[in-house]
Structure formats: structure tokens, C-alpha cells
């Protein structure tokens, strides 16, 4: 590292520490480029770079002709050592080891994790939450309807990270599984087992939630069908209506379209489907193959054991907690990181290879 680079970092670090220590407060002017150059015995180019880097991380505003000022909304949040995780399901629901991953990161700072369900959280509590917690990791139940809460947290610059769902352009750090890859992988697996009529089932209305994780899985399903020149696909409307009223419309649909395999939006849906098919004396995988998504514990003991797409919940939790620590260190940083974690196939016993059609011999 050159001497000038050392000097630039020295100025940058000193001013950053002074801002966070409260020496400079919101709207207060920092020393000018010339003043810093003289104080640190560097060129004006070096002092200018230090001030610009402070602007790049969102701590100051460069006002043309006036100087450099601490951003107008800057406040210092008093640390409590507590992090809030908001999830839409009970912690014993078996939907992944997010908590272990989060705690592994929090332990490095001796922080405590508090877990609540979405229905226990309301926007009216935001002022109180800001005094109780250092940040929030939020697993949306319905991103569209919870956007009001998310917006309020965002505008307060309260450290905040989304897991499982995000939306294109939403300026909130997030960590999600690669749901499109998962839908593609599930469908491609069935195609490799010689299935050509593959359905997709969802308990979520896809037309109402195109940014949802389930919609991304459906898009991956369509991508795989398209790449293999298969022209049968469940429509977004059908994927939802076929699951309603205890699958009342499903069997006629499967028969009409000669469906031999089904991709389910998640394991809960797949396990419900296995139970329904057993009641109707339809054998899986002998008569129809089924793939789920999530690899919850029950899939390893279902009859048959469910082939599924596994998310690395621990990795998602660790990445989310790491992003949150970065936002706690500087909630004003304009760089919004959105991380996608790969998924993998967990092959079990609910998928069968269909016999290949006889080759047509030339006359």
C-alpha cells in the first residue's frame, strides 16, 4: 500500500470514528479538503478522496460550493445486544435451521436472538422495537401485504434484512434460496427420468405474487420445459385451483392430460398430496412421481420418502446475520446486497424412471 493510500485511509478512518462517536452530528460541516490536506500533510487530491469515500458509504453529503456535511438524517442508535427474527411459522415447524446459522454469527458479538411470529409484529411497535433491538431479520409471509411495514423500517434506516423473499429493485438487503434454480432442477430431474407431462401445484395464487419464492420456482419449471421442447405446462391459475377443496379437481386433470409427475411448491404441499393419493389408492412413484421443495424433516420419514429440493437454511441464516451486522455498523450505506444461495436435489423414493418408448424403426 502506498503512502498516499495510507494517508487517505487515515483521514477516512479518523473522520468515520469521529462521526460515530458523536463529535460531528447531523448537518454539521466537516473540515474542508484544504484544511484536511494541511492537517494531515497530504495533497488535496488525497483529502478529497477521503471525503468522497465518506459520501460513498452514506455518512456525509457533498454540497457543491458549500462543503461536506454529516447527512441530515444521521442518528446514532444505542446498542442493546439483541436481534429480532420475525418468521411466519413456529420455530418447531421444521422449516429449516435458520436460527442455528444466525446464532453462529451473533455469538461473535455476544448478541442474543429473540424470535417472534409475524402475527405478533405490528408497525405501531416500530419506535419501541428501535429501542429494544439492534436490528431485524424478517421472513415475510406475504411480501406485498407486508410492504407497508418494510417501508417504514427502511425509511427509518433501522438495520433490517429480508430472508426467503425479496422483490426486484427493493432497496433492502436480502438472502434467498435460488428458487428459480430449484424449480428448474426439480423439473429437469423428472425429465431425465423420462417424464414429459409434468404438472406444478401451488397453494399460493401465483398471479397475485409474481415476486414470491413460489413464483420463482414456477418460472424455473417453465424454463426446464421450454429447454426440453415440452409444450405441456400447468397454467398459473390451474396450479392453484387444482389444490383447492382437498384436490377435488386434480384426478380428472391428471387423467385428461396423462400427467406422470408433479412438482409441488413446497414439502408441506407435497406431503398433503402424498396423503391424498394414498387415500385414492394411487401409488407413488409407481403411478405418479412427486417432488417437493425445502427438505423438511418429515420428508425423510414419509411413505414413500419424498424426493425434494433442499435449501441450505443454515447458510441462509449465516448470510442474513452477516448482512445485518454490516447494516448495524452502517445503516446508511447505499450499497444494498442481495445474496442468492444455491439449492440441491435430495433424491429419495418418490420419483420413478418411466420406460422409454420403443424406437421407431425405419421401413
Amino acid at each position: 500500500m502506498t503512502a498516499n493510500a495510507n494517508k487517505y485511509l487515515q483521514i477516512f478512518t479518523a473522520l468515520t470514528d469521529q462521526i460515530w462517536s458523536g463529535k460531528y452530528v447531523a448537518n454539521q460541516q466537516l473540515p474542508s479538503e484544504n484544511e484536511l490536506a494541511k492537517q494531515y500533510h497530504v495533497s488535496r487530491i488525497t483529502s478529497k478522496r477521503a471525503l468522497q469515500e465518506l459520501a460513498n458509504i452514506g455518512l456525509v453529503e457533498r454540497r457543491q460550493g458549500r462543503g461536506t456535511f454529516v447527512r441530515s438524517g444521521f442518528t446514532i442508535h444505542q446498542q442493546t445486544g439483541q436481534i429480532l427474527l420475525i418468521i411466519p411459522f413456529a420455530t418447531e415447524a421444521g422449516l429449516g435451521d435458520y436460527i442455528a446459522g444466525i446464532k453462529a454469527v451473533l455469538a461473535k458479538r455476544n448478541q442474543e436472538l429473540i424470535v417472534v411470529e409475524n402475527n405478533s409484529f405490528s408497525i405501531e411497535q416500530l419506535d419501541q422495537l428501535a429501542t429494544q433491538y439492534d436490528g431485524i431479520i424478517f421472513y415475510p409471509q406475504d411480501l406485498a401485504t407486508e410492504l407497508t411495514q418494510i417501508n417504514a423500517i427502511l425509511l427509518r434506516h433501522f438495520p433490517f434484512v429480508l430472508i426467503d423473499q425479496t422483490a426486484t429493485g427493493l432497496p433492502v438487503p436480502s438472502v434467498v434460496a435460488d428458487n428459480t434454480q430449484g424449480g428448474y432442477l426439480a423439473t429437469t430431474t423428472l425429465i431425465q427420468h423420462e417424464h414429459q407431462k409434468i404438472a406444478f401445484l401451488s397453494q399460493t395464487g401465483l398471479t397475485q405474487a409474481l415476486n414470491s419464492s413460489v413464483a420463482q420456482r414456477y418460472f424455473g419449471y417453465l424454463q426446464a420445459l421450454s429447454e426440453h421442447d415440452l409444450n405441456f405446462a400447468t397454467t398459473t391459475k390451474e396450479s392453484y385451483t387444482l389444490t383447492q377443496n382437498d384436490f377435488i379437481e386434480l384426478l380428472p386433470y391428471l387423467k385428461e392430460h396423462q400427467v406422470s409427475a408433479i412438482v409441488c411448491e413446497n414439502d408441506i404441499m407435497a406431503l398433503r398430496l402424498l396423503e391424498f393419493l394414498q387415500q385414492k389408492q394411487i401409488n407413488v412413484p409407481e403411478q405418479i412421481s412427486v417432488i417437493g421443495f425445502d427438505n423438511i424433516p418429515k420428508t425423510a420419514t414419509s411413505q414413500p420418502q419424498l424426493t425434494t429440493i433442499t435449501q441450505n437454511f443454515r447458510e441462509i441464516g449465516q448470510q442474513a446475520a452477516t448482512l445485518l451486522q454490516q447494516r448495524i455498523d452502517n445503516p446508511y450505506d447505499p450499497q444494498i446486497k442481495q445474496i442468492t444461495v444455491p439449492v440441491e436435489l435430495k433424491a429419495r423414493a418418490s420419483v420413478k424412471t418411466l420406460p422409454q418408448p420403443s424406437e421407431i424403426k425405419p421401413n
Side-chain angles (χ1 to χ4, degrees), residues 15 17 68 74 131-132 163 200 205 237 256 260 308:
L15 290 175
D17 291 344
T68 303
F74 180 80
T131 64
Q132 290 180 314
I163 57 174
F200 186 96
K237 182 178 180 181
E256 176 185 355
S260 63
T308 185

Side-chain angles (χ1 to χ4, degrees), residues 20-144:
W20 284 113
S21 69
K23 178 178 179 179
Y24 296 106
V25 298
N27 278 318
Q28 185 172 351
Q29 187 172 10
L30 271 60
S32 68
E33 295 170 8
N34 286 331
E35 290 170 335
L36 290 171
K38 183 177 180 180
Q39 178 182 350
Y40 287 91
H41 306 289
V42 297
S43 68
R44 183 177 172 184
I45 293 176
T46 300
S47 62
K48 180 179 181 179
R49 180 184 176 189
L51 291 174
Q52 185 57 50
E53 288 297 322
L54 285 173
N56 291 344
I57 64 170
L59 291 184
V60 303
E61 300 167 357
R62 303 272 279 165
R63 301 174 187 173
Q64 189 171 5
R66 297 178 58 193
T68 303
F69 297 78
V70 178
R71 67 181 296 144
S72 58
F74 180 80
T75 57
I76 298 174
H77 176 69
Q78 298 302 316
Q79 303 296 297
T80 66
Q82 291 192 320
I83 301 298
L84 182 64
L85 171 63
I86 302 173
I87 54 177
F89 46 79
T91 55
E92 66 272 10
L95 288 175
D97 201 7
Y98 294 110
I99 292 176
I102 294 170
K103 285 185 174 180
V105 176
L106 302 192
K108 298 174 184 177
R109 296 195 183 188
N110 295 317
Q111 292 167 318
E112 181 184 3
L113 182 67
I114 308 298
V115 183
V116 301
E117 293 186 43
N118 292 49
N119 55 17
S120 301
F121 172 73
S122 68
I123 194 62
E124 289 77 16
Q125 298 174 303
L126 185 55
D127 287 336
Q128 180 181 356
L129 292 176
T131 64
Q132 290 180 314
Y133 302 101
D134 294 339
I136 296 174
I137 298 174
F138 189 70
Y139 185 130
Q141 187 165 14
D142 183 338
L143 186 62

Side-chain angles (χ1 to χ4, degrees), residues 297-341:
K298 289 182 180 179
T299 59
T301 58
S302 62
Q303 295 297 323
Q305 292 181 324
L306 184 68
T307 294
T308 185
I309 301 298
T310 179
Q311 302 185 56
N312 191 335
F313 292 111
R314 185 182 180 91
E315 176 67 15
I316 292 172
Q318 287 179 326
Q319 293 279 10
T322 300
L323 282 187
L324 187 65
Q325 301 293 16
Q326 294 171 4
R327 300 308 293 182
I328 290 171
D329 290 341
N330 180 14
Y332 303 103
D333 191 342
Q335 182 180 4
I336 305 299
K337 296 180 181 179
Q338 297 186 330
I339 297 173
T340 301
V341 177

Side-chain angles (χ1 to χ4, degrees), residues 65-274:
R66 297 178 58 193
T68 303
F69 297 78
V70 178
R71 67 181 296 144
S72 58
F74 180 80
T75 57
I76 298 174
H77 176 69
Q78 298 302 316
Q79 303 296 297
T80 66
Q82 291 192 320
I83 301 298
L84 182 64
L85 171 63
I86 302 173
I87 54 177
F89 46 79
T91 55
E92 66 272 10
L95 288 175
D97 201 7
Y98 294 110
I99 292 176
I102 294 170
K103 285 185 174 180
V105 176
L106 302 192
K108 298 174 184 177
R109 296 195 183 188
N110 295 317
Q111 292 167 318
E112 181 184 3
L113 182 67
I114 308 298
V115 183
V116 301
E117 293 186 43
N118 292 49
N119 55 17
S120 301
F121 172 73
S122 68
I123 194 62
E124 289 77 16
Q125 298 174 303
L126 185 55
D127 287 336
Q128 180 181 356
L129 292 176
T131 64
Q132 290 180 314
Y133 302 101
D134 294 339
I136 296 174
I137 298 174
F138 189 70
Y139 185 130
Q141 187 165 14
D142 183 338
L143 186 62
T145 60
E146 291 167 321
L147 198 56
T148 298
Q149 297 169 317
I150 293 170
N151 288 344
I153 297 170
L154 171 65
L155 295 176
R156 285 281 300 270
H157 295 290
F158 189 67
F160 182 69
V161 173
L162 289 172
I163 57 174
D164 185 69
Q165 296 182 44
T166 188
T168 302
L170 183 64
V172 176
S174 64
V175 184
V176 299
D178 193 337
N179 290 292
T180 303
Q181 179 204 10
Y184 177 87
L185 180 57
T187 309
T188 300
T189 297
L190 292 169
I191 294 170
Q192 290 170 345
H193 283 76
E194 308 299 336
H195 296 274
Q196 296 192 354
K197 297 291 186 72
I198 302 169
F200 186 96
L201 296 184
S202 167
Q203 59 190 2
T204 306
L206 298 179
T207 57
Q208 305 298 318
L210 290 180
N211 274 311
S212 69
S213 56
V214 177
Q216 300 302 315
R217 295 169 192 177
Y218 178 77
F219 297 154
Y221 157 79
L222 292 180
Q223 180 184 349
L225 296 177
S226 175
E227 287 187 6
H228 290 84
D229 296 322
L230 300 177
N231 55 22
F232 171 80
T234 308
T235 68
T236 53
K237 182 178 180 181
E238 289 169 339
S239 70
Y240 175 71
T241 57
L242 291 172
T243 67
Q244 301 305 295
N245 301 313
D246 296 322
F247 302 104
I248 191 171
E249 298 181 19
L250 180 60
L251 294 186
Y253 177 87
L254 299 179
K255 183 177 180 180
E256 176 185 355
H257 297 287
Q258 297 181 314
V259 171
S260 63
I262 299 174
V263 176
C264 294
E265 70 155 276
N266 57 35
D267 288 340
I268 293 176
M269 168 63 69
L271 293 173
R272 280 183 54 209
L273 177 63
L274 290 183

